[in-house]
């Protein structure tokens, strides 16, 4: 599959830009969702240019063809002039990520509207050996949707039609460029919800969610996209349309190839349509924010929540002190409870408010009376809930204020979450501002973040391969390739 | 992958044996689970020999090597004499299925205990070009686990160790040969359950469940095995062990290859270990059995159940009149409610009995007061529930009494379930005893069954490709290959 660059291979880790270079306006209202912050950061950050990825990471361009006028003529004949963009200003937002961590040098942005157009584009590029970079909402934190060299950016933004919703089965079919939040809004009006929810939902697109196997806050309840995506239509590099667009919850016809497109980052094919199973909209949502004195209490609270909340447990987030203080200290957001080494954010959503309330009260009574949890607060109206969610969702933003951020998105057994953070602290503690961990307890997925005042290669060399080896030893996974893989791929 | 026969390819459809040839003892107690009946059928049916699959379907043996003494010597050196079985009596149960629909002529049964032994067997067979038939509990209805010619049967029965259960995350790891019910019993003692449940649970093995992507009665609630299986270890034909045994709910390391082993019927690899996410055991289970006057009411009841029962809805089965009467007329099982063209069986299970009862009552009140449902009964103790489940689980057995059964396991949009049955009736009604449909509403999966007094090739030619084309037109799937695929594969 020659015309697809394996872009992840050139990214060593998700290091974030230094706050000095971003010069953020920090007068943000507490309670704003991360999404609004992304927009603000983007607005300010666009004045600063990230170094070219190819130069920063010293990568050599693959043996791809260079774009010429004849190519442009072909694309214009296919899409019309308005959807073939070559101006630097048009390409700016597509050549870099919102954190300004990586930057490519694409000279061409194509905006197909249909599967047939995507197919024609890929077929042509494959024959001409032109490199392609598929791009959705471009909200990723690891640069996977940004060109590295002069790849043609093929953007799904105009492929944003909802094709069907079967109100009996809850199965929705839509094009890849539909924005997650728009899909959720559409469904909410019809008494359904999307089975996934992310901080970036206002910009990220379902095709990108599927291609990156995005997890998020509802995975605990509704499962990963391997569970909820029933069908995928994808175009492979030679232009062939793979119709794996099943609408059936059970489909045993032949090999279930759609799973290969879920999470393969566009390297196997360009996702053009998605069929997804949508749950019924919960009638009641409640949120508890709890503080614990030790990690064992975190584990016990999680187990208790699974027992007592059972089928209404919809989110279970873990946040350590160093993560919370990045928000309270750096962003002036108020922590509504006392100071604790560990916090948990537990969401319950169900079909009967009275029942849900009773379950939540029983759960809270148990964990408070036996001393597992010593302080907490419960929110049930949406503004209170947003304010609490902000403590979790604004951590990524808060960390930027420390200076430079080394980011790792890792799954390890949940019992090892704190050991991991402590071991990393021992490994780099003297050289850094902060080592912190937060993430999805239900999915065993921890966001490990280390910050230093400015970028320090000594920290990187202490972190890698240390973090990868630690993860591997625990049979976990990490979101980025190890050095060994990098050397192999670059 | 030369040493794996694609056994499904030789099966045209799941036609069942004639009752005269089985001579069943029908004095079964109402309320017995299908499993007990399977054992009884087996006991009686073993006196009758199915025709050889290769002769019945006129299939030609592939160009595989023939077993010799040197091969036997190798296997004995590897496994010891007691796990290398060549007596006809040892092989009898492994050369045929429980319905005595298909029969192979294997001369060798191997019983490995470890992945390493499976690897050595497959490596040797691949090099010697000996055909292999992986076999679990051999409970399938479509003959996928039975040899067609003289394939070596490699049976997982002795690979029955539970390796670990993480009581924090609910992730269990076990060998492929663990029996589903044994796993569920083990988990129940530890406050968990298996996320899948099948009538054959007393004999079927988890490796076979995974290889066939078994659905069953809990799919609606906990999702398919693509959702609940976190990891798979499989041996590919050259003996290489594929370690996709992730224990993580989220794992985005590279391509997610384990999904290819789920549902590929052993054609890509021999599943040796499984890691599965186990839900917490529900504290309360209730079962409603309802009668409806028309199919629209079935759909409305399903939609209402999703709304009112929400997160506690755990099964939603659909049964038409012709299916129910196969049990009531042929097996003398009592139908506790009146005579209706359509029935539904709705199970609710949750973490709080009072809440669950209230939800169920609200739901029932609504559908009864608006006339959607005119009669029904609710069971909450286990013997009552078993008696009601028998009405659903004994249909396959009841149908045998009509004579010959033409079986199709099909997913189509649930709104078309009854149209499908009616159209098939119009197509073959004059030539058959019964056309009936029952199955999993939540999964859009209908079991279409047609019976005739004796096998009639005219019925087959009217059913095929009619059923396949109907399914395909609705973008559904069927459990068996179409004629076109058959011709391609045989």
């Amino acid at each position: 599959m020659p015309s697809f660059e394996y872009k992840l291979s050139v990214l060593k880790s998700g290091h974030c830009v230094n706050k000095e270079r971003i010069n953020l306006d920090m007068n943000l209202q507490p309670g704003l969702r991360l999404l609004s912050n992304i927009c603000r950061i983007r607005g300010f950050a666009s004045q600063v240019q990230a170094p070219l990825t190819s130069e920063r990471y010293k990568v050599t361009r693959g043996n791809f063809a260079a774009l010429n006028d004849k190519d442009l003529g072909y694309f214009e004949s296919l899409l019309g002039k308005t959807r073939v963009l070559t101006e630097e200003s048009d390409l700016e937002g597509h050549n870099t990520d919102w954190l300004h961590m990586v930057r490519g040098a694409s000279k061409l942005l194509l905006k197909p509207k249909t599967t047939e157009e995507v197919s024609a584009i890929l077929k042509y590029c494959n024959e001409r050996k032109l490199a392609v970079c598929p791009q959705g909402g471009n909200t990723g934190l690891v640069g996977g949707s940004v060109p590295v060299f002069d790849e043609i950016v093929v953007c799904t933004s105009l492929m944003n039609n909802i094709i069907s919703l079967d109100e009996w089965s809850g199965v929705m079919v839509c094009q890849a460029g539909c924005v997650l939040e728009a899909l959720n809004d559409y469904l909410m009006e019809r008494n359904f919800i999307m089975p996934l929810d992310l901080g970036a939902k206002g910009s990220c697109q379902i095709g990108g969610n599927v291609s990156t196997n995005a997890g998020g806050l509802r995975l605990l309840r509704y499962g990963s996209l391997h569970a909820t995506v029933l069908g995928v239509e994808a175009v492979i590099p030679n232009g062939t349309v793979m119709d794996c667009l099943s609408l059936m919850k059970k489909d045993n016809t032949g090999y279930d190839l759609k799973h290969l497109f879920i999470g393969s980052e566009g390297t196997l094919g360009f996702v053009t349509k998605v069929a997804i199973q949508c749950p019924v909209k919960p009638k009641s949502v409640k949120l508890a924010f709890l503080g614990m004195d030790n990690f064992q209490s975190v584990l016990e609270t999680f187990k208790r929540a699974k027992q007592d909340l059972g089928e209404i447990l919809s989110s279970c987030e873990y946040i350590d002190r160093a993560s919370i203080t990045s928000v309270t200290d750096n962003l002036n957001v108020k922590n509504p409870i006392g100071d604790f080494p560990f916090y948990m954010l537990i969401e319950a959503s169900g079909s009967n408010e009275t029942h849900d309330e009773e379950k939540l009260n029983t759960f809270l009574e148990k964990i408070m009376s036996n001393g597992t949890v010593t302080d907490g607060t419960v929110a049930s109206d949406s503004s209170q809930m947003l304010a609490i969610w902000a403590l979790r969702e604004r951590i990524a933003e808060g960390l930027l204020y420390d200076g430079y951020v080394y980011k790792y998105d890792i799954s390890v057994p949940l019992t090892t979450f704190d050991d991991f953070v402590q071991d990393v602290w021992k490994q780099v503690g003297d050289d850094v501002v902060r080592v912190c961990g937060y993430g999805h307890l239900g999915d065993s997925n921890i966001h490990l973040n280390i910050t230093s005042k400015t970028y320090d290669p000594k920290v990187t060399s202490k972190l890698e391969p240390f973090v990868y080896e630690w993860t591997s030893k625990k049979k976990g996974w990490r979101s980025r390739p190890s050095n060994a893989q990098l050397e192999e791929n670059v």
Side-chain angles (χ1 to χ4, degrees), chain A:
Chain A
M1 306 204 169
S3 72
F4 279 70
E5 290 254 351
Y6 190 57
K7 272 166 304 299
L8 273 188
S9 65
V10 299
L11 292 168
K12 213 167 162 189
S13 62
H15 302 174
C16 288
V17 281
N18 191 305
K19 75 165 175 180
E20 283 86 7
R21 292 187 16 234
I22 292 188
N23 185 26
L24 282 165
D25 173 5
M26 290 327 300
N27 302 318
L28 294 170
Q29 296 301 310
L32 277 178
R33 308 272 289 194
L34 178 61
L35 181 68
S36 329
N37 306 330
I38 291 177
C39 302
R40 296 183 82 100
I41 290 171
R42 263 189 172 160
F44 286 92
S46 62
Q47 296 152 21
V48 189
Q49 208 164 46
L52 282 170
T53 308
S54 56
E55 288 173 8
R56 190 175 200 169
Y57 296 103
K58 297 180 184 56
V59 212
T60 313
R61 185 178 181 281
N63 185 26
F64 293 99
L67 194 70
N68 62 31
D69 286 347
K70 210 178 136 201
D71 300 325
L72 287 177
Y74 172 77
F75 294 126
E76 285 179 0
S77 74
L78 181 71
L79 306 175
K81 288 201 174 191
T82 55
R83 294 193 280 132
V84 177
L85 303 162
T86 53
E87 293 295 319
E88 208 180 315
S89 57
D90 292 324
L91 277 148
E92 202 180 334
H94 299 269
N95 262 323
T96 192
D97 62 331
W98 70 268
L99 287 170
H100 281 228
M101 189 177 83
V102 287
R103 188 161 63 90
S106 176
K107 305 285 179 217
L108 177 62
L109 169 66
L110 300 179
K111 292 189 156 185
K113 285 184 175 177
T114 64
T115 303
E116 293 65 35
E117 287 177 355
V118 172
S119 165
I121 291 167
L122 295 192
K123 185 170 186 289
Y124 182 88
C125 290
N126 195 47
E127 282 163 8
R128 270 279 292 130
K129 228 185 162 193
L130 290 161
V132 166
C133 172
Q135 193 174 83
N138 197 14
T139 59
L141 289 165
V142 291
S145 54
V146 180
V148 178
F149 299 97
D150 57 344
E151 299 93 302
I152 297 170
V153 177
V154 182
C155 169
T156 47
S157 301
L158 299 182
M159 300 176 70
N160 57 358
N161 288 318
I162 295 172
I163 296 162
S164 66
L165 170 65
D166 180 333
E167 300 205 13
W168 297 108
S169 65
V171 177
M172 182 177 64
V173 183
C174 64
Q175 282 190 298
C178 292
V179 169
L180 181 57
E181 193 167 49
L183 292 176
N184 201 58
D185 290 347
Y186 175 87
L187 288 166
M188 293 270 277
E189 284 170 21
R190 288 154 184 87
N191 215 20
F192 291 99
I193 56 167
M194 280 298 278
L196 77 159
D197 184 24
L198 310 173
K201 66 179 171 184
S203 311
C204 68
Q205 298 171 10
I206 189 67
N209 298 149
V210 169
S211 296
T212 57
N213 190 23
L217 305 164
R218 294 179 183 162
L219 195 145
L220 168 67
R221 174 70 164 269
Y222 302 113
S224 84
L225 289 171
H226 287 287
T228 53
V229 170
L230 304 185
V232 166
E233 179 194 75
V235 183
I236 61 174
N238 68 4
T240 302
V241 179
M242 299 283 291
D243 180 3
C244 311
L245 200 64
S246 169
L247 310 188
M248 299 295 138
K249 205 159 177 178
K250 185 177 171 191
D251 188 341
N252 279 352
T253 319
Y255 300 130
D256 204 344
L257 298 177
K258 74 161 182 283
H259 290 288
L260 288 178
F261 297 113
I262 302 173
S264 58
E265 302 263 354
T267 58
L268 297 181
F270 189 117
V271 173
T272 46
K273 288 192 192 112
V274 173
I276 192 160
Q277 175 79 51
C278 303
V280 169
K281 183 170 89 175
K283 289 178 191 147
S284 134
V285 182
K286 315 236 164 259
L287 189 62
F289 183 63
L290 311 169
M292 289 90 182
D293 289 320
N294 54 65
F295 188 70
Q296 187 60 27
S297 296
V298 172
L299 294 176
E300 272 158 28
T301 305
F302 176 52
K303 201 172 181 179
R304 194 73 257 166
K306 288 205 289 182
Q307 297 285 343
D308 290 344
L309 300 176
E311 59 279 359
I312 65 164
L313 180 63
S314 54
S315 266
C316 194
E317 297 290 303
Y318 154 81
I319 311 168
D320 68 11
R321 179 189 273 138
S323 301
I324 281 284
T325 55
S326 79
V327 181
T328 52
D329 295 357
N330 292 348
L331 303 180
N332 267 329
V333 174
K334 202 176 138 33
N335 170 2
I337 63 172
D339 175 50
F340 291 94
F342 302 99
Y343 297 89
M344 282 174 81
L345 203 153
I346 294 178
E347 189 193 73
S349 51
S351 59
N352 183 308
E353 184 157 14
T354 317
H355 293 172
D356 295 358
E357 212 160 73
E358 263 184 54
K359 286 192 179 88
L360 191 61
N361 288 343
T362 307
F363 160 67
L364 292 172
E365 241 171 69
K366 277 189 200 159
I367 52 166
M368 302 295 263
S369 65
N370 69 11
T372 310
V373 170
T374 39
D375 196 8
T377 181
V378 176
S380 53
D381 80 57
S382 62
S383 69
Q384 287 173 327
M385 285 197 279
L386 281 176
I388 292 180
W389 270 117
L391 285 163
R392 161 68 182 83
E393 291 190 332
R394 294 186 69 188
I395 296 169
E397 181 195 343
L399 292 169
L400 287 175
Y401 288 75
D402 284 358
Y404 190 91
V405 189
Y406 312 77
K407 296 183 95 67
Y408 300 89
D409 188 357
I410 288 167
S411 286
V412 283
L414 60 99
T415 49
T416 69
F417 273 22
D418 192 49
D419 293 344
F420 198 0
V421 173
Q422 297 310 322
D423 283 359
V424 172
W425 180 253
K426 277 179 213 145
Q427 174 78 0
V428 295
D430 295 341
D431 307 298
V432 300
V433 175
R434 189 191 310 260
V435 177
C436 69
Y438 63 99
H440 320 296
L441 265 184
D443 323 341
S444 276
N445 182 194
I446 184 170
H447 302 306
L448 174 74
N449 283 259
I450 301 99
T451 61
S452 61
K453 284 193 175 164
T454 53
Y455 175 70
D456 182 352
K458 194 172 70 183
V459 174
T460 301
S461 67
K462 281 192 178 181
L463 285 172
E464 295 176 17
F466 179 82
V467 168
Y468 300 135
E469 284 171 359
W470 206 101
T471 309
S472 174
K473 217 166 54 196
K474 301 286 172 191
K475 278 220 149 204
W477 69 279
R478 60 229 138 21
S479 66
R480 280 172 286 278
S482 68
N483 284 339
Q485 284 173 296
L486 278 166
E487 279 156 28
E488 216 178 288
N489 285 318
V490 171

